[in-house]
Amino acid sequence: SSVAVHEFVRGMGAGAATVLGGGMTSAAPWAALANGASAHAPEMDDVTTESSLHPGVAVIPAALALAEEGGAAGTAFLEAVVGGYEVTMRVGNALDPASSYERGFHPTGVAGVFGAAVAAGRLLGLDQGALVRAIGIAGTMASGSMEYLADGAWTKRLNPAWAAHAGIVAAGLARTGFTGPAGALDGRLGVLRGYTDHPLPERLTDRLGDPLMVTRVSIKPYACCRYNHGLIDGVLRLRREHGLVPDDVARIRLGVLSGGWLLVADPIDAKRAPRNSVDAQFSAPYAAAVALVHGRAGLAEYGDDAVGDPAVRAVMSRTDCVRDPSLDAVYPARWPATVEIDTRDGRTLRARVEHALGEPENPVPRDALVERFVSLVADRVAEGGAREVAARVLTLDSERDLSVVRRLG
């Protein structure tokens, strides 16, 4: 999917912003589109609980492209990102993600455009009035269909990409004086009326800045939908503690949150038979099966060529998904998961995961994050160079500009 987007953006001409992994540059709006789509494709981007969305893939591509284009310092870029996360996550909280999903809307695309617009506006030096206009303009660009679930289409990856692109456009138009409605979020015909049946406008400003929303973001260790991560942790735990191999297992029951049921558990027959990597990324049975069979759930396990693995297919056929009121009782503040495995020798093994690996309460160690980064860019950057880039990214507040990004082009 990233290659297709790169081919499209190449036709838009060169610019001052890097298209990561594309071997080219483009104008900021188009670089943001390409980088947002690429960043979301592996399903390893950051994610939130209460708002159930991916702030980074909408906010960071917009801020990165404009910061690079305008020669902004690392601190200015980081300030824009923090502001963009704050807005994206608060709009997502107010949407009530379970209701937004039921309406067929992807919260990342809907809320992300507002955060991208604020991040872009910060870097463009917009004053308060212009930022209000940018948010108003962003309201007419908010979008993101969930229909990709029907056939594994790539459009989910376009949702945050469009948000990043549109956020830059919204901020740019606001800078020229173009107007947008002040009630784009909570007005009578605003986003909180059109994209959810359960609007929670009070969450837009509840405890504003206490804490900053960016501190409540989870990092994904596995290359799939976040609703599967607690399930993978549970299977890996039982596999490790009991030395399980696939032939030991008679049946698996996965306790899935109702908020993620539509994404990863329904319809169960389709979730047991993914046709491509997108289907696999959104299948709870596949997540449990790859964890049991391979003991990991990275990019290799979610490639199109891995989806047909007979051993994984056999385990999926013995996997069920169930709802559990005890899980739903704490959602969306927490995303717990349960796993039950019946063994062929008559045992029932159980695991409950309260905080999946990567949540703020169960963080991925920094060294592990660096190792993952090095592995993800291995086909573009030699190991020594990748580690240098990682070190500079982790100290962006001391960088005079974003020139480090060009190492990843």
Side-chain angles (χ1 to χ4, degrees):
S1 60
S2 300
V3 172
V5 176
H6 288 170
E7 289 180 1
F8 169 74
V9 169
R10 194 180 304 278
M12 299 296 108
T18 301
V19 175
L20 300 175
M24 60 179 168
T25 60
S26 191
W30 298 116
L33 182 85
N35 293 336
S38 297
H40 200 39
E43 281 294 332
M44 298 190 82
D45 43 314
D46 62 11
V47 66
T48 65
T49 50
E50 186 176 358
S51 52
S52 187
L53 50 70
H54 306 272
V57 284
V59 172
I60 291 176
L64 191 63
L66 278 180
E68 193 179 7
E69 191 173 75
T75 299
F77 165 75
L78 292 173
E79 289 172 348
V81 168
V82 170
Y85 269 58
E86 192 75 18
V87 172
T88 299
M89 293 169 67
R90 286 181 171 278
V91 174
N93 292 349
L95 279 172
D96 183 47
S99 178
S100 193
Y101 285 137
E102 288 292 333
R103 290 287 299 274
F105 295 115
H106 187 198
T108 298
V110 175
V113 67
F114 295 101
V118 167
R122 174 84 182 193
L123 287 163
L124 292 175
L126 301 189
D127 61 19
Q128 178 178 325
L131 282 173
V132 171
R133 293 198 300 273
I135 291 172
I137 296 166
T140 206
M141 298 173 169
S143 63
S145 168
M146 298 286 291
E147 185 59 18
Y148 70 88
L149 288 168
D151 57 10
W154 291 341
T155 48
K156 179 177 188 282
R157 300 163 183 181
L158 186 60
N159 291 341
W162 181 254
H165 171 87
I168 293 176
V169 173
L173 287 170
R175 183 170 62 168
T176 67
F178 198 94
T179 65
L185 290 170
D186 57 350
R188 183 174 66 88
L189 300 175
V191 165
L192 295 186
R193 301 295 177 185
Y195 291 85
T196 178
D197 291 318
H198 187 219
L200 302 167
E202 67 278 4
R203 294 191 179 178
L204 290 170
T205 54
D206 181 47
R207 296 182 62 187
L208 187 62
D210 180 26
L212 288 172
M213 287 286 142
V214 73
T215 67
R216 298 302 307 160
V217 174
S218 301
I219 302 296
K220 284 187 177 184
Y222 313 124
C224 60
C225 177
R226 184 60 173 177
Y227 283 101
N228 290 331
H229 283 219
L231 304 172
I232 292 171
D233 284 343
V235 171
L236 290 177
R237 181 191 302 173
L238 295 177
R239 183 182 189 270
R240 180 178 63 252
E241 292 176 352
H242 300 278
L244 292 177
V245 297
D247 286 344
D248 295 333
V249 173
R251 204 78 195 167
I252 300 176
R253 286 178 297 279
L254 306 173
V256 177
L257 286 161
S258 291
W261 188 265
L262 178 68
L263 278 72
V264 302
D266 184 45
I268 189 61
D269 288 342
K271 298 303 182 182
R272 291 194 188 113
R275 297 155 295 179
N276 52 47
S277 63
V278 176
D279 282 352
Q281 288 168 336
F282 291 87
S283 165
Y286 188 87
V290 294
L292 180 65
V293 172
H294 298 296
R296 55 187 181 273
L299 285 178
E301 288 70 46
Y302 279 90
D304 281 332
D305 56 348
V307 172
D309 184 338
V312 172
R313 295 259 165 185
V315 174
M316 282 194 288
S317 71
R318 308 195 297 273
T319 301
D320 299 307
C321 296
V322 298
R323 296 179 190 262
D324 184 338
S326 73
L327 302 179
D328 293 338
V330 297
Y331 177 83
R334 300 208 316 267
W335 287 23
T338 59
V339 177
E340 287 189 356
I341 297 180
D342 294 336
T343 64
R344 296 190 189 278
D345 61 8
R347 294 173 293 159
T348 298
L349 310 176
R350 297 180 176 87
R352 180 179 173 111
V353 176
E354 294 296 338
H355 298 287
L357 180 62
E359 292 185 9
E361 296 83 359
N362 184 20
V364 175
R366 176 165 288 195
D367 288 349
L369 287 178
V370 172
E371 293 307 317
R372 190 184 76 174
F373 171 77
V374 171
S375 70
L376 287 173
V377 303
D379 63 339
R380 302 289 302 183
V381 185
E383 181 178 347
R387 293 190 183 281
E388 180 188 344
V389 170
R392 291 180 64 183
V393 167
L394 289 170
T395 54
L396 271 182
D397 54 325
S398 64
E399 293 281 329
R400 292 190 300 177
D401 55 38
L402 274 293
S403 59
V404 63
V405 174
R406 296 181 197 127
R407 296 283 296 276
L408 302 174

